[in-house]
Amino acid sequence: MKKALSAAAAALALAVAATACGGGGEGAQSGGDDPIVLGFSQVGAESGWRTANTESIKQAAKEAGIELKFSDAQQQQQNQIQAIRSFIQQNVDVIAFSPVVESGWDTVLLEAKAAGIPVVLTDRAVETDQKDVYETFLGSDFVEEGRKAGRWLVEEYADTDDQVNIVELQGTTGSAPANDRKEGFAEIIGEHDKFEVVASQSGDFTRSGGQEVMQAFLSSHDDIDVLYAHNDDMALGAIESIEAAGLEPGEDITIISIDGIKDAFRAMADGKINLVVECNPLIGPQLMDLVEKVHAGEEVKPRITVEEGVFTQDEAAEALPDRKY
Ligand code: GYE
């Protein structure tokens, strides 16, 4: 009896698979070889880093034979929540997303858990008290990136006792990289009284945001020594405002930024940015590897970080031809 039942179930499964195939002529894959379906909700297309990250994910999915359902949230948390709910409804195999902000995910994460769909966080982290709502988080150590920026600045200004006035362009308010890059930088410069952050505001990780906020900083402060930008795009936007104000970026104002996109390397080679802390967006292959493991029910480490360096102006021109993003 049991046997007959399972044979019937198998026949039914085959019939369903055949209908799902829709007669596209590509030949039905047998049950076990169905591609993994991954629903991925991306933050948006706000920066050069993000463009490279999206490309890396799409390319890696293709190479791994993973069927990718890609959704762009245009920097809105509501859009990401909607996308995740739609992935749950479609019963995808795995959900991955890069959360635009840190908080406010508990409900939707619990919904995914209830549906038995594993979740992988990539690039940005979430803040949650819930247990076991995601398998792992793959991304950079943003606090350490902020510290690297701070350490370089401390060295660079080691010979002066004068006050050093810093303006800070923050990333998207409430996002993990904005919170953490601010924290890591503050931790290091806070050990020295001479460093003063005289203004700090969000430029939303975009070029136009960086340009506008820097313009406002310049009109209310005439004694800015340093700009610390949480990403390259904002630094590049800010450079336009600095030049428009008749000042020399990299000379009159020391500029530090984070990411390491090609345009920032070009600006460094031109002397307009002084230091770039690297943040690697090319994490698609690592992500697909984790998706496969999680799908197979394998144990994965709860936190996986990405290895990164820092680049000064001397190193920029040399590194430029090999930059992949
Ligand atoms: O630094 C910035 C992007 O989350 C690490 O988001 C990412 C950040 C990156 O918009 O350029």
Side-chain angles (χ1 to χ4, degrees):
M1 179 64 181
K2 243 194 188 157
K3 234 187 195 162
L5 259 187
S6 58
L12 185 68
L14 269 180
V16 170
T19 341
C21 251
E26 282 188 19
Q29 280 173 311
S30 64
D33 289 345
D34 274 352
I36 299 172
V37 179
L38 169 67
F40 179 72
S41 167
Q42 180 60 293
V43 169
E46 73 284 2
S47 65
W49 189 98
R50 188 66 54 198
T51 307
N53 180 245
T54 293
E55 267 314 299
S56 170
I57 287 165
K58 287 185 174 170
Q59 182 67 29
K62 205 185 275 172
E63 275 163 22
I66 289 175
E67 185 184 325
L68 179 68
K69 292 182 184 293
F70 183 91
S71 176
D72 175 342
Q74 300 181 345
Q75 299 229 79
Q76 299 298 319
Q77 180 171 36
Q78 237 2 78
N79 293 344
Q80 288 203 293
I81 292 176
Q82 249 176 37
I84 295 167
R85 291 207 165 118
S86 132
F87 294 148
I88 296 172
Q89 259 173 13
Q90 295 170 62
N91 197 24
V92 299
D93 295 314
V94 181
I95 292 172
F97 74 111
S98 172
V100 58
V101 290
E102 282 192 285
S103 58
W105 299 102
D106 286 9
T107 309
V108 77
L109 286 173
L110 287 169
E111 287 168 19
K113 185 179 176 181
I117 302 176
V119 172
V120 174
L121 299 179
T122 170
D123 159 34
R124 298 184 183 178
V126 300
E127 238 172 48
T128 179
D129 295 331
Q130 303 297 328
K131 287 256 168 301
D132 304 323
V133 282
Y134 63 88
E135 306 293 318
T136 180
F137 164 43
L138 163 70
S140 306
D141 183 343
F142 301 134
V143 178
E144 187 55 24
E145 289 171 353
R147 288 192 195 111
K148 285 176 185 166
R151 284 187 202 116
W152 179 84
L153 195 65
V154 166
E155 276 289 302
E156 190 68 6
Y157 285 80
D159 295 337
T160 177
D161 294 326
D162 300 343
Q163 180 169 314
V164 181
N165 292 329
I166 303 166
V167 293
E168 179 177 32
L169 278 168
Q170 295 182 38
T172 301
T173 306
S175 70
N179 292 342
D180 295 354
R181 287 171 182 170
K182 184 173 178 37
E183 182 190 319
F185 183 74
E187 177 192 313
I188 301 296
I189 61 161
E191 292 162 6
H192 307 264
D193 289 341
K194 66 186 173 196
F195 293 111
E196 188 87 39
V197 178
V198 294
S200 179
Q201 209 182 300
S202 170
D204 211 15
F205 279 131
T206 64
R207 250 174 233 222
S208 59
Q211 190 251 323
E212 279 161 32
V213 177
M214 189 68 205
Q215 195 176 22
F217 285 165
L218 286 162
S219 60
S220 47
H221 299 270
D222 54 10
D223 50 358
I224 300 170
D225 300 304
V226 176
L227 163 64
Y228 169 46
H230 289 186
N231 83 341
D232 291 341
D233 289 78
M234 291 192 295
L236 292 164
I239 285 172
E240 290 173 31
S241 295
I242 293 168
E243 287 177 336
L247 296 169
E248 259 191 74
E251 281 291 329
D252 297 324
I253 297 180
T254 300
I255 302 182
I256 307 174
S257 77
I258 303 184
D259 277 354
I261 61 171
K262 266 195 182 141
D263 281 355
F265 271 75
R266 284 190 198 106
M268 263 208 291
D270 289 347
K272 296 181 182 185
I273 293 181
N274 304 76
L275 184 85
V276 164
V277 177
E278 187 177 37
C279 180
N280 183 7
L282 308 179
I283 52 182
Q286 258 177 301
L287 175 61
M288 297 311 145
D289 191 45
L290 285 169
V291 165
E292 281 168 349
K293 288 196 167 124
V294 159
H295 180 61
E298 280 176 42
E299 247 337 278
V300 290
K301 281 196 278 177
R303 172 77 173 100
I304 296 160
T305 47
V306 182
E307 295 252 315
E308 289 147 351
V310 294
F311 294 89
T312 58
Q313 284 180 347
D314 310 337
E315 293 152 348
E318 203 181 315
L320 192 50
D322 293 330
R323 285 312 282 173
K324 298 271 184 312
Y325 61 97

